[in-house]
Amino acid sequence: MKDIKILGTGCPKCKQTTAIVEETVSRLGIDATVEKVEDIMEIMKYNVMSTPAVVVDGNVVFKGRVPTATEVEAMLAN
Amino acid sequence: MFDWIQYFADWLIYGVFGVGAETHLGAALNFFVYDTLKILLLLFLITFLMGIVNAYFPVERLRNFLGRNKLHGGEYLLASVFGAVTPFCSCSSVPLFIGFVQGGIPLGVTFSFLITSPLVNEVALAMFLGMFGWKTTLIYATSGILLGTVGGWVLGKMNLQNYLSDWVKQLWENAQHETEALEADAQTFAQRLPGIARGAWDIVKSVVLYVIIGIGIGAAMHGYVPENFFNEYLSGGQWWTVPLAVIIAVPLYANAAGILPVIQVLVAKGVPLGTAIAFMMGTVGLSLPEATLLKKVMTMKLIAIFFGTVAAFIILSGYLFNLIL
């Protein structure tokens, strides 16, 4: 099971990212938890300076931009 | 470069809609269509260019560079320039601030970045280019960058670290000057371009409504505010007009897209350019929503000192513009 976290302080881009990831996960039927992290102290633990960022199993895979559904799909396929 | 937009506007308004070029309405509509298209196109181009710069120099790289090298004062200018080319989003100012603190970057240098980032942003530059031409744009960008450089330096001299929030103060004391190497991004330039273009398009989409409303109000004011209306009140050179403009601007939270068309009309109707630029800087550079976000990392006192210093410098540059322009 994959553990996916979306890091962001609640800006529109972060919500967009969450929607894309959630949609992709359910469309592909991937066994994963998607969690939104809005607490700034929690976010800073990942050493991310530009939000939104996507963390999968503890690794930062995207940061500072909204990934496309295709990118998320490719990333989840690995 | 923009002739074809003018042809299009002429064709649409005078041809398709059949509104006469000599009528008040026709001229206003034509101005509206031309300005809106031109500014949206400029905005896309500027955001696209900034996106390319940012793909190669992400802000993490700036932090690592600043943490490793001694620049003898040049670090303020560098942080300020970087703030100008980084697309601004008020929600990322806090993570940026913490990231700089963690990297052991002096507080003043961090402030340089924080001041310039909203002040000189892609929307402001596109609007200035479209409405005032490249000379005024250059003056605005240069003065914004200088303001960030000097403002950050002055704030740095004040030893403000005691006014950080407690948890940030701890980070500050344990800052690691050695930052880990950046993971190399495997994407090639060609692979990145679509993403950058999409990012630019998203920014255009997010401000298009403000641009239309702003230019609409501008177009309406053009026709109905009498020529030299403001001359009487604002351009007599009274010393208090510049501070007043900044004080009005701070609580007025608007983005550059909405405020610049109005400013253009104000200038056309007699408001001195320096006062108008000070007003603009106060609106985009100092915003209450940003202050609310910064409360997570700074005490109220520090926010007040930060805003006060920046406001003072904006007022000073307003006077300076009125003198030299």
Side-chain angles (χ1 to χ4, degrees):
Chain A
M1 185 161 111
K2 281 189 185 357
D3 168 37
I4 305 174
K5 290 193 174 76
I6 320 286
L7 315 182
T9 42
C11 53
K13 279 186 185 177
C14 313
K15 289 181 187 131
Q16 230 177 312
T17 308
T18 312
I20 289 171
V21 172
E22 276 174 349
E23 193 269 329
T24 312
V25 165
S26 69
R27 183 162 45 85
L28 299 181
I30 288 170
D31 184 21
T33 54
V34 180
E35 186 195 345
K36 207 154 172 283
V37 181
E38 293 195 350
D39 182 51
I40 182 71
M41 288 155 96
E42 203 55 39
I43 292 175
M44 292 320 296
K45 285 189 188 146
Y46 293 94
N47 202 20
V48 166
M49 285 174 73
S50 35
T51 56
V54 180
V55 177
V56 178
D57 295 334
N59 300 316
V60 180
V61 283
F62 301 114
K63 61 180 172 188
R65 64 195 177 90
V66 182
T68 60
T70 333
E71 279 177 309
V72 175
E73 227 178 286
M75 180 267 298
L76 289 176
N78 289 331
Chain B
M1 182 180 172
F2 298 112
D3 287 351
W4 62 274
I5 302 180
Q6 188 62 64
Y7 295 140
F8 175 77
D10 290 348
W11 170 78
L12 186 74
I13 301 302
Y14 306 145
V16 179
F17 292 159
V19 187
E22 62 292 332
T23 62
H24 215 76
L25 183 68
L29 282 176
N30 190 291
F31 166 81
F32 176 76
V33 170
Y34 174 70
D35 259 27
T36 310
L37 287 176
K38 183 174 67 173
I39 284 161
L40 291 178
L41 184 71
L42 281 167
L43 180 59
F44 181 81
L45 290 175
I46 291 173
T47 318
F48 188 66
L49 284 178
M50 284 184 173
I52 293 176
V53 172
N54 269 278
Y56 286 93
F57 298 97
V59 71
E60 285 88 352
R61 185 175 281 185
L62 169 75
R63 176 185 63 175
N64 293 354
F65 183 80
L66 288 174
R68 250 184 277 117
N69 299 284
K70 285 255 168 294
L71 297 170
H72 310 289
E75 63 269 29
Y76 295 94
L77 180 64
L78 189 64
S80 187
V81 169
F82 223 85
V85 297
T86 309
F88 176 71
C89 166
S90 62
C91 42
S92 54
S93 58
V94 168
L96 271 169
F97 186 84
I98 300 297
F100 274 51
V101 169
Q102 276 182 329
I105 308 300
L107 216 47
V109 178
T110 310
F111 275 123
S112 281
F113 185 95
L114 273 189
I115 295 171
T116 317
S117 188
L119 210 53
V120 185
N121 66 66
E122 63 282 1
V123 181
L125 290 182
M127 301 291 289
F128 256 109
L129 261 178
M131 319 203 83
F132 291 100
W134 65 271
K135 254 189 202 158
T136 316
T137 311
L138 204 64
I139 293 173
Y140 179 80
T142 314
S143 55
I145 289 170
L146 283 180
L147 203 152
T149 309
V150 177
W153 184 78
V154 169
L155 286 166
K157 289 283 165 226
M158 294 192 207
N159 287 322
L160 297 167
Q161 46 276 15
N162 288 329
Y163 299 116
L164 293 169
S165 304
D166 285 336
W167 70 280
V168 184
K169 222 184 294 175
Q170 271 174 9
L171 284 179
W172 197 79
E173 277 151 14
N174 305 323
Q176 315 154 327
H177 291 264
E178 291 302 312
T179 36
E180 77 281 22
L182 277 174
E183 68 272 40
D185 203 326
Q187 282 185 311
T188 64
F189 185 63
Q191 280 172 322
R192 282 185 194 184
L193 275 183
I196 295 171
R198 207 181 54 235
W201 179 238
D202 283 343
I203 289 191
V204 172
K205 268 199 309 202
S206 68
V207 297
V208 68
L209 190 66
Y210 298 98
V211 174
I212 289 175
I213 292 173
I215 295 176
I217 293 173
M221 282 172 73
H222 249 303
Y224 299 103
V225 179
E227 206 67 41
N228 294 326
F229 174 76
F230 294 101
N231 262 346
E232 248 173 88
Y233 306 101
L234 283 174
S235 52
Q238 295 95 329
W239 65 271
W240 46 265
T241 50
V242 177
L244 183 70
V246 175
I247 290 167
I248 295 174
V250 175
L252 193 75
Y253 178 59
N255 59 25
I259 208 78
L260 254 174
V262 178
I263 284 177
Q264 190 199 28
V265 177
L266 296 184
V267 170
K269 305 291 183 188
V271 173
L273 191 57
T275 311
I277 289 183
F279 180 70
M280 158 88 187
M281 285 181 158
T283 317
V284 298
L286 299 170
S287 75
L288 293 182
E290 200 198 343
T292 328
L293 286 169
L294 289 176
K295 245 174 30 195
K296 286 181 191 154
V297 292
M298 300 175 188
T299 56
M300 279 313 285
K301 193 167 177 188
L302 180 50
I303 296 177
I305 295 173
F306 173 41
F307 271 41
T309 309
V310 177
F313 276 108
I314 291 176
I315 292 170
L316 276 179
S317 47
Y319 283 132
L320 196 67
F321 284 130
N322 281 344
L323 274 179
I324 59 172
L325 291 178

